[in-house]
Amino acid sequence: MDEGVERWLLIQENLGRARNTVLAYRHAFADYLSFCRQRQIAVCDATREHLSLYVRSMTDRPKQAHASVALETSPSGLANATIRQRLTAVRLYYDYLIEEGVRSHNPVGRGRYTATARTAMWGPASHALLPSYSFLPWIPDEDEWHHILTIAATNSPRNRLMLALAYDAGLRREELCSIATGDLDPARRLVHVRAETTKGRRARLVPYSVPTGMLLEAYLHERRKLTRDRGALFISQSRRNRGVPITVWTWSKVVQVLARHADLPRLATHTFRHLCLTDLARAGWELHEIAEFAGHRNTSTTLLYIHLSGRDLSAKLARATCAHGRRMIEIGACLGAAQ
């Protein structure tokens, strides 16, 4: 890794950035530096043209091994979100170089929306280096969900509990893997999600159900065979790392294997959280309640997680008894009689 990049990554770590965030930055820069070396581009002297070539290289490269990171609308190339994540890391690094006086401008830049009618007043419009696309989150239907559970039932008590908690409490991958034994309140069936493990640095208490409590009891019995020490709830069962706290990558591999056996390549660790929040919306929870449960600062973020299908919306419409329903009866009566 480039010395300047290493220094910048150390600064991010010292500033308290989440461990996964720093790892994502490091991974992004490993890819960017590899591109620069292949094209013989000096990182500090890169231009917007060079960045456009980097974007092209990411959109044209062969599809990744796992379908969960492949662009849904394209036969090849990285996902739009992955490309934007890597460009964000590169942009932040060039911001740092500007602050240090190494560069005068950022080749990545920032997109700004300028209305056409106001262009003359506010200057020319500036577009982001890469357009952003928002895809509906994939969640399994009922048959797919039961198929997932049938296959997961053959897993270890630890993996079964992790799946149950991921859905039941709507936990992110980092939050799930970071649960400590002291974070559990079995008497009230609550999990304390510590602020330092969350994406938004906001602590919260989330409940879990009776079935999850039974799975927890079964897992704790198995855990005592590995260690009686307090600390991380989920620990490794392998011979090499026996009793060591698992990493987020361990959980990701578990879900990847589950997805492969279920023949559901779009299944990912975040799917359980998406499904949980969607089910809460289906159950009639208010948006602000779901946001509080999920740990979102803004309800607009919550909306990205909720996937109400056309069938859900049709059912809501069928239950409508307000003016909309009355008018539709009138439309049906009038237009039907006119035929």
Side-chain angles (χ1 to χ4, degrees):
M1 188 71 72
D2 182 85
E3 182 180 348
V5 175
E6 285 287 1
R7 188 182 306 110
W8 177 72
L9 290 172
L10 180 60
I11 291 174
Q12 304 311 305
E13 186 176 349
N14 292 339
L15 289 174
R17 299 286 187 269
R19 180 167 57 91
N20 279 353
T21 299
V22 177
L23 287 175
Y25 288 167
R26 179 177 293 278
H27 182 67
F29 253 97
D31 186 70
Y32 179 58
L33 292 176
S34 175
F35 166 82
C36 289
R37 282 194 295 268
Q38 291 173 5
R39 298 297 182 99
Q40 296 182 341
I41 300 170
V43 175
C44 292
D45 300 327
T47 65
R48 195 170 181 85
E49 180 183 1
H50 294 142
L51 266 296
S52 69
L53 292 174
Y54 177 54
V55 171
R56 173 57 65 88
S57 74
M58 290 189 285
T59 57
D60 288 347
R61 68 181 57 176
K63 184 182 291 186
Q64 296 291 320
H66 300 294
S68 60
V69 298
L71 185 61
E72 299 175 16
T73 58
S74 174
S76 65
L78 300 183
N80 179 265
T82 302
I83 296 175
R84 287 189 289 113
Q85 182 189 61
R86 293 187 180 181
L87 287 178
T88 297
V90 175
R91 173 174 56 79
L92 293 174
Y93 176 67
Y94 282 123
D95 280 345
Y96 162 74
L97 293 184
I98 292 172
E99 293 173 359
E100 294 295 306
V102 178
R103 288 185 63 105
S104 60
H105 68 283
N106 194 319
V108 181
R110 289 175 173 79
R112 299 187 303 277
Y113 172 75
T114 307
T116 304
R118 299 182 179 181
T119 299
M121 180 181 298
W122 298 105
S126 176
H127 300 284
L129 194 63
L130 185 75
S132 175
Y133 303 102
S134 296
F135 299 102
L136 283 175
W138 176 83
I139 57 175
D141 59 27
E142 290 304 311
D143 291 338
E144 291 169 335
W145 176 244
H146 288 125
H147 185 45
I148 292 170
L149 294 183
T150 300
I151 296 174
T154 62
N155 275 219
S156 66
R158 184 200 70 190
N159 294 346
R160 297 202 302 269
L161 173 61
M162 292 185 73
L163 188 154
L165 270 176
Y167 168 79
D168 202 3
L171 298 178
R172 300 179 179 93
R173 182 179 63 167
E174 177 76 15
E175 296 169 349
L176 176 66
C177 296
S178 299
I179 295 176
T181 54
D183 296 331
L184 299 171
D185 184 352
R188 295 186 292 171
R189 294 202 303 274
L190 293 174
V191 178
H192 175 220
V193 185
R194 286 170 283 121
E196 61 270 23
T197 69
T198 67
K199 187 176 180 180
R201 294 296 184 262
R202 300 178 67 196
R204 67 186 192 278
L205 281 174
V206 290
Y208 59 87
S209 62
V210 172
T212 299
M214 297 173 64
L215 289 169
L216 172 62
E217 185 178 353
Y219 168 65
L220 289 178
H221 178 72
E222 292 294 320
R223 186 181 183 278
R224 292 188 194 100
K225 297 179 182 179
L226 298 174
T227 180
R228 291 184 177 271
D229 295 339
R230 296 178 64 84
L233 175 63
F234 299 114
I235 56 177
S236 175
Q237 300 165 321
S238 68
R239 294 181 179 179
R240 186 178 63 178
N241 298 315
R242 187 179 179 87
V244 176
I246 68 168
T247 66
V248 294
W249 313 115
T250 301
W251 175 232
S252 293
K253 290 178 182 177
V254 169
V255 176
Q256 287 171 4
V257 172
L258 180 59
R260 186 166 61 250
H261 289 170
D263 195 22
L264 294 171
R266 299 174 71 184
L267 177 66
T269 57
H270 226 54
T271 301
F272 307 113
R273 178 172 164 87
H274 279 301
L275 183 59
C276 172
L277 301 189
T278 297
D279 284 345
L280 294 181
R282 289 167 172 168
W285 279 40
E286 296 292 338
L287 187 59
H288 72 275
E289 295 173 332
I290 301 176
E292 185 68 24
F293 179 87
H296 292 154
R297 291 181 180 273
N298 197 314
T299 54
S300 62
T301 304
T302 310
L303 288 173
L304 299 176
Y305 280 72
I306 298 175
H307 180 191
L308 293 181
S309 67
R311 181 179 300 177
D312 297 322
L313 297 177
S314 296
K316 281 181 173 290
L317 187 60
R319 293 194 298 268
T321 57
C322 57
H324 183 278
R326 175 177 57 80
R327 292 187 191 280
M328 287 311 303
I329 292 175
E330 294 173 350
I331 290 174
C334 294
L335 298 184
Q339 293 180 350

